[in-house]
Each structure stands twice: as C-alpha cells, then as structure tokens.
Amino acid sequence: MAVVTYLEAIRQALFEEMARDERVFVLGEDVGAYGGAFKVTEGLQEQFGEHRVIDTPIAEAAIVGSAIGAAYMGMRPVAELQFIDFISACFDMLTNFAAKSRYRTGAGVPIVVRGPIGGGVGGGPFHSLNPEAFFLNTPGIKMVEPATPADAKGLLKAAIRDEDPVLFFEHKFLYRRLKEDVPEGDAAIVPIGRAAVRREGSDATIVTFGAMVQTALEAAKQLEHEGVGVEIVDLRTLAPIDRETVLASVAKTSRVLLLHEATLTGGIGGELAAIVAEEGFEYLDAPIARLGSVDAPVPYAPPLEAAFLPSAAKVVERVKALVKY
Amino acid sequence: MYGFVRLTRDVEERLTILFRQSKVIGGLYRSLGQEGESVAAAYALEATDAVLPLIRNLGALITMGVRPRDIFAQYMAKGPSPSRGRDLNIHFTHLPHPGAKEPVLVGPISMLGTSIPVAAGIALAAKMRGERRVSLVFIGDGAMSTGTFHEGMNFAAVQKLPMVVIAEDNKYAYSTPTSKQFAVPSIDQRAASYGVPHEMVDGNDMPAVYAAVKDAVDRARAGRGPALIGVDTMRMSGHAQHDDMRYVPKALLDEWAKKDPVTRFRARLVEQGIATGAALDGIDRRMKRYAADEADLAEQMPMPDPAEVAAGVYHGDHSAPRVEIVRQWRS
C-alpha cells in the first residue's frame, strides 16, 4: 500500500493491467510520448512501447471503432477520450455498435472507454460535461465513476477485465486533490455493480457518486454539528445500479436526497427517484429530493460555475428541509 | 467463382419468393447486378481473413462459406439464425475459435461507415500480434460520405494496417445519385488524400475485380498498408423490395443490363475454353436446387422464444448459436 493521488491510482491500474495481460493496450490522442493531456498515461509508452500505447489522429470514432475491432479479435483495448465531452463524436460507435453487439450477434465487446469528466476547474461548456444519462438509457453498456483513489484503481482494473463495454468516467477535479492508501495487484479490484456506504447515519440518505461524494461528505460534516446524521451511498457503478444498497439505506433513514453533478432534467436522479418511489415508497417519511446542476451548459466564469454546480451549502439546505418535513 | 455468384443470385431469387409470401419479416435488400464484385473480392482472401460486408455483399459471405440456410433464417427471423432473431438480413457476426481455419465475419450496423474503423481495429490486432489476417471491408458511394469512413481510413493509413476497402459505386444511395454524393470524378479518388494506393475497376468484370483485390490483399499482408479499390457497378433493383426505382433513367438500366456479371463471366468461361456450357448448366441446376433446399430447411426452423427477449444484453446469461462455416468448391 502506498498513498497516491486519484490520478496516480488510475495510472497504476493501467501499468498493472498492461504488465499482467499482454492483450491490454491503450490508444487515444496524445497518450504516448506526451503522457496524455492530464499525464494519466505518463511513462506508459516508455514501458510498453509504441505498439501498445498508440497515439491516434483526432478521431474519436476511429479510436472507439478500432477498439471494438481489436476487442473482437481478443484484445483488451483501453481507449482514452481526452475530455469526456468528446464522447459525442463516437456516440454511434458506442451506442449502436458496441452496446448492441452482444445482443444482436453474441459477439461481446470488452473495451474500456475512459476520460476526464466534470466541472469545477473552469473548463467551460466543452470540457466539463457529465454525460452519464446519455448512456443510462443504452442497455449493453456499463458505466463506472469512482469517487476515491482506491476505487479509481480498483474499478479500472475490474473494467479492463470485464467482458462488456465499460465507460470509465474519472473526475478531473479529483485527479490531484484526493490522496489515499491504495492496494496493489488483484487486492485492489473493486467489483463493478456494487455501491459503497461512505458514511453511516440515521436521519437522511444522500445517494451520489463521483466528485459529489466529496461535496456530500463536506455537507454531512456541517450537518453533524447541527445534530443531523447523514448516510452517504456512493453508487460507484451507474449501470447497472445497485438498487439493494440504495433501498437498504432509504429503509434505514426514511429520507433521501439524490445528488449528481449532471444537470437535473433527465439525469440519473430521475431514475433513482423512480426506483425509490416504486420499490421503497413505504420506507419514506418525506418526499424524494433531487439536486443536480442548473439546466444549462456548464459556464466558464467562476461565479457562474459556482452557481451552476451543486455545493455543500445547497446540500445542507436540502437535507435540512428533508429532515424538517 | 462461378458457382458462388450463381448461388448468390439464386439465394436472392429464393428470398424474393419468400418476401412475396410475407415470410421475410423486414425489408429485402438485393444485390442484383452487382453480385460479381462481392464474390470476386472475397475469392481473393484466405480462409482466416476478415470480411465486413454491407447489406448488398451477400456474395462475399457465401464465398467465405456461410450457408444459405443461415441467410434465409436471418431474413425470416428464426430462433436458430445467426443473430437468434434479434437482427435482420446479413447483420450477424462470426468470431471463430482461436486457431480455427475460419473467417472473421462482422456484419454491418445500419449506421453505415461504422464498419471502417472496426475493420481497422481488426487489422490493428492482426498487426500487433503478427498474424497474417487481412481485413476486407465494403462501403458504398453513400456511406463514404460519413465521418466514420474518413476517420477509419485515415487511422488505417497512418498505422499502415492490413485493411483493404472495396468502395462500390453502384450509382445510387437509396434514391440519391453519386453526383449528389461526391464531387470527384470517380469514387476511388476519395482515397487519394490518405496516401493509400487506389484504383478503379469494372465491378461487373469478376476476373478484373479478383486481380485488383488480390494485389491489394497481398500488399496488405506483406505489411505495406491499406488500399482502396473502387468498383464501378450498378444496383439493378430498388434500395429494397418496396422501392420501384422510378428515379433511375431507363437508359441507364438498359445499358447495365448488358453488363450483367453472371452472364458475362459465364460467356467468358466458355469463350476461353475453361468450362463447357453443359458443365456450367450443371452448376446452375445444382445451385438452384441447393438454394431451394436450404430455404426449406430454414422455413422449418422455430421462431425465437419470447422468454429470451432480455437475455444476452450482457456477458454470461446467454450464448449465441455459432455460424457453421462450410468452405466448399474452393480450389
């Protein structure tokens, strides 16, 4: 175990998996000699060579499409999208080709498509997206979004070994802000499909994931001073959703706030609300609450972005209202 | 090669009958008049190469050893069809077991052009592992206008991947003529900017297509990178059976009717003394019978079990029937 950043944890997962399995290779824009726009793949090409760490043209459909072809041939490609916003350029390859392949033809597509997600760093409308909900309505695709360095490493290792296409959303706000002890080798693996309870509490549940786990933890600390015990469920995997963990927590606290960084309308919170309403209605002592970003493109100016994103203060306010109901 | 092109036409004629009997569930997309190029191109491949066809490349699949029963079963949405009734026409994929002397077949999706980067990925894997596999991918005049075509072609060129593209100019993408699809004089010239060799061949001249593709495939296999072969041909039926092609001038159809690839190849075999008319008549009869028998077999297959509607979306809960590849009549 060593204390590493969220970014370094992802890098470790790539190194370990490439060393373990020669079928694993990385492709994307500037991932080679430069080490990636955020330096996630730094040193990878030196270690494994140009043929396993491939610099591609600026062509997301070619990156994901060729990953699909190579996966058909038994390889384990890890495709990097420089910013997750660019995933729109390979939407056909992901939703129509990869996601439907196994169902249509029996041919699985074991690829990982990873890239930096989210706001909070002044990236503006094209470098700050949270596109999870685009894919939630696409059967055949799995989605993970780690909130901690250990999960970042463990979920990426699990994603690379998974037989289905996995979208790996890594939050760039967390890259160098979070550090923790991270296990080595197979001990690091975090299974896809299981949520984690980050904090125990009995007054209200916050269901969230990604960078919003940190926001929720901050809010929970403030609420604790005011005598409100918050339980935080970190989904970790967004498709398939771990319904059991969510429902068990709601059963325990009877109040739930669904929190995500993506804009509110049509977001994952809506799906979670439906799950809780359909399967956990009797547990509830207050209406289900949702908090997401404002329904607008992600703005650039710091005051605008701060107003756009959910904050600990907004979370505190919503949880207080829940508890008071 | 004659047997394959004959069988391709017979299978489609039998499909037309099944379509009229309402036994084909969706549309029927024929390759009438352009069967020759699919067969001749695939004939230039080795048994373990990859083929990524579009809907009008049935001939390539038949040449690689897909049995007609699987094609009929697909069109009729039968349970034991290669896609288990989940997808239509030649939308199916065959990934052989490691070491099997079988081709890799990756069916298209309806977002045309997407096959090109996938073909590049198959070629990339072959290059990375030092395998001899060449990836042969078909695309039409319409689909070449997509971004994915350019992205995949460019990536394959930069990486010098063993990929050969057959670019078909069959004159119409549904009802849109090639003149509204591209502004260069011939379809192969669209490849010029990628720095890959390209040439145009008469797509209804089967030996000419075979020779051009064979050169490109050999070149790719030797590690010298991708190539694009443009084929000049004509779609002699509608986009699908419901399309009456009123947008096609009659003179154009009359002109191309004279260049039918099957009768042309037949005449050539007789002229050059390679086969007698009687021997070819024998092949004709055998293929017609074979297509009919295979259609009967497929008709008797059961429809899929509705209980399986949600199975097989993810790994582990379902297995696909394997396409049996029967390499026949190949010398």
Side-chain angles (χ1 to χ4, degrees):
Chain A
M1 301 259 281
V3 176
V4 299
T5 60
Y6 182 95
L7 182 144
E8 177 60 22
I10 295 166
R11 221 169 69 90
Q12 277 189 6
L14 292 171
F15 265 90
E16 286 180 16
E17 291 305 298
M18 287 185 75
R20 182 190 62 85
D21 183 349
E22 62 178 20
R23 300 173 305 163
V24 179
F25 71 99
V26 168
L27 72 170
E29 294 154 16
D30 307 302
V31 295
Y34 188 66
F38 289 91
K39 303 293 176 191
V40 174
T41 56
E42 190 160 42
L44 218 56
Q45 195 178 63
E46 271 168 44
Q47 180 79 25
F48 298 103
E50 275 183 35
H51 70 295
R52 285 182 73 194
V53 183
I54 301 169
D55 278 324
T56 65
I58 299 178
E60 282 76 15
I63 293 169
V64 174
S66 57
I68 293 169
Y72 276 158
M73 296 296 93
M75 302 297 280
R76 294 282 170 158
V78 180
E80 175 175 308
L81 301 180
Q82 202 159 60
F83 283 87
I84 213 66
D85 309 52
F86 309 158
I87 204 164
S88 52
C90 48
F91 202 70
D92 257 341
M93 298 309 322
L94 285 168
T95 59
N96 282 316
F97 217 115
K100 295 174 183 172
S101 179
R102 184 184 297 283
Y103 186 75
R104 290 169 53 235
T105 74
V109 180
I111 61 170
V112 176
V113 176
R114 44 161 289 271
I117 195 171
V121 296
F126 304 106
H127 294 77
S128 311
L129 192 66
N130 289 279
E132 302 95 340
F134 299 177
F135 301 98
L136 190 64
N137 205 227
T138 302
I141 277 186
K142 292 180 180 174
M143 268 191 290
V144 298
E145 189 164 336
T148 67
D151 275 3
K153 180 171 181 180
L155 285 167
L156 183 52
K157 287 171 79 84
I160 290 169
R161 300 182 192 196
D162 202 277
E163 297 293 337
D164 290 308
V166 181
L167 304 183
F168 185 88
F169 296 139
E170 49 201 57
H171 206 294
K172 60 174 138 349
F173 186 79
L174 305 179
Y175 270 159
R176 296 175 197 278
R177 284 180 176 86
L178 282 188
K179 268 187 184 186
E180 70 176 347
D181 261 342
V182 170
E184 313 257 311
D186 287 2
I189 291 175
V190 174
I192 289 176
R194 278 188 232 153
V197 177
R198 291 284 169 212
R199 189 184 195 282
E200 301 254 358
S202 55
D203 296 324
T205 295
I206 299 176
V207 180
T208 189
F209 53 90
M212 283 297 120
V213 171
Q214 298 304 322
T215 306
L217 284 167
E218 201 186 317
K221 242 189 256 167
Q222 292 179 32
L223 286 159
E224 197 174 21
H225 293 307
E226 303 182 33
V228 178
V230 172
E231 180 146 306
I232 298 176
V233 175
D234 172 4
L235 283 178
R236 306 201 282 198
T237 298
L238 312 179
I241 288 173
D242 179 355
R243 295 161 172 256
E244 287 71 29
T245 303
V246 171
L247 289 166
S249 182
V250 175
K252 180 178 161 189
T253 65
S254 304
R255 288 174 166 82
V256 64
L257 170 66
L258 309 169
L259 168 67
H260 55 67
E261 191 180 309
T263 50
L264 193 68
T265 303
I268 283 181
E271 182 60 30
L272 288 165
I275 291 170
V276 174
E278 283 184 339
E279 298 173 48
F281 187 72
E282 294 95 79
Y283 308 143
L284 292 172
D285 287 335
I288 298 163
R290 283 190 299 156
L291 180 58
S293 286
V294 173
D295 284 330
V298 187
Y300 172 55
L304 289 179
E305 195 179 21
F308 168 85
L309 290 170
S311 61
K314 289 180 198 168
V315 173
V316 167
E317 188 190 320
R318 296 304 297 271
V319 172
K320 276 188 187 169
L322 262 184
V323 174
K324 232 188 268 169
Y325 181 86
Chain B
M1 204 152 83
Y2 179 75
F4 290 123
V5 78
R6 192 68 254 175
L7 180 60
T8 302
R9 182 158 294 179
D10 289 339
V11 166
E12 288 192 356
E13 274 169 11
R14 183 58 54 171
L15 277 169
T16 308
I17 296 168
L18 292 169
F19 182 83
R20 290 192 188 124
Q21 294 171 341
S22 300
K23 287 174 182 165
V24 167
I25 304 296
L28 170 58
Y29 307 85
R30 289 197 63 176
S31 60
L32 185 66
Q34 58 176 93
E35 301 96 332
E37 45 104 357
S38 298
V39 169
Y43 204 79
L45 297 176
E46 292 184 2
T48 54
D49 284 333
V51 177
L52 294 94
L54 294 183
I55 40 173
R56 281 181 235 290
N57 302 117
L58 173 63
L61 293 182
I62 293 212
T63 306
M64 296 311 283
V66 174
R67 292 180 302 178
R69 70 186 69 172
D70 286 324
I71 306 299
F72 292 122
Q74 276 285 116
Y75 270 99
M76 291 188 281
K78 299 292 190 172
S81 72
S83 77
R84 297 161 287 166
R86 280 110 182 271
D87 205 345
L88 43 140
N89 58 58
I90 63 162
H91 282 203
F92 61 88
T93 290
H94 173 71
L95 305 178
H97 291 304
K101 259 198 127 217
E102 289 179 8
V104 172
L105 305 172
V106 177
I109 69 168
S110 301
M111 293 70 200
L112 303 180
T114 49
S115 298
I116 304 289
V118 175
I122 290 169
L124 176 68
K127 187 188 167 199
M128 287 175 86
R129 295 195 299 219
E131 292 172 352
R132 288 174 47 76
R133 180 172 295 123
V134 171
S135 189
L136 180 78
V137 56
F138 291 87
I139 192 158
D141 43 73
M144 279 177 86
S145 298
T146 64
T148 35
F149 164 74
H150 298 284
E151 291 198 16
M153 192 71 228
N154 183 52
F155 182 54
V158 168
Q159 291 284 332
K160 286 201 170 308
L161 302 178
M163 176 173 97
V164 175
V165 177
I166 308 296
E168 301 166 339
D169 178 355
N170 70 353
K171 308 298 172 277
Y172 287 87
Y174 211 143
S175 72
T176 305
T178 50
S179 60
K180 291 194 174 158
Q181 209 66 247
F182 52 84
V184 290
S186 69
I187 197 169
D188 67 308
Q189 291 183 24
R190 305 184 85 182
S193 68
Y194 308 111
V196 305
H198 58 97
E199 66 173 302
M200 199 69 205
V201 296
D202 178 347
N204 288 16
D205 179 347
M206 293 179 67
V209 175
Y210 171 82
V213 176
K214 184 78 171 63
D215 280 352
V217 165
D218 288 348
R219 190 178 168 280
R221 211 185 298 285
R224 292 169 58 214
L228 181 141
I229 312 287
V231 296
D232 186 24
T233 186
M234 176 73 199
R235 191 189 77 206
M236 298 298 284
S237 59
H239 171 67
Q241 286 299 294
H242 60 262
D243 168 16
D244 63 9
M245 312 170 75
R246 68 182 65 179
Y247 46 84
V248 182
K250 190 172 174 304
L252 190 65
L253 288 172
D254 291 345
E255 178 199 330
W256 280 92
K258 289 178 210 142
K259 300 192 243 179
D260 180 80
V262 183
T263 49
R264 233 170 118 184
F265 188 44
R266 190 184 215 282
R268 184 148 159 184
L269 290 170
V270 175
E271 260 167 42
Q272 297 188 346
I274 296 165
T276 64
L280 296 175
D281 287 345
I283 293 177
D284 289 353
R285 280 193 300 273
R286 224 166 74 223
M287 293 306 148
K288 214 172 201 63
R289 185 73 259 152
Y290 180 43
D293 289 348
E294 291 276 291
D296 290 346
L297 257 175
E299 271 200 73
Q300 286 154 26
M301 292 178 188
M303 292 303 272
D305 179 357
E308 293 194 340
V309 65
V313 178
Y314 296 97
H315 172 69
D317 58 354
H318 203 52
S319 60
R322 296 188 61 76
V323 180
E324 200 184 327
I325 302 294
V326 182
R327 299 271 291 181
Q328 41 200 346
W329 321 304
R330 295 289 294 256
S331 49

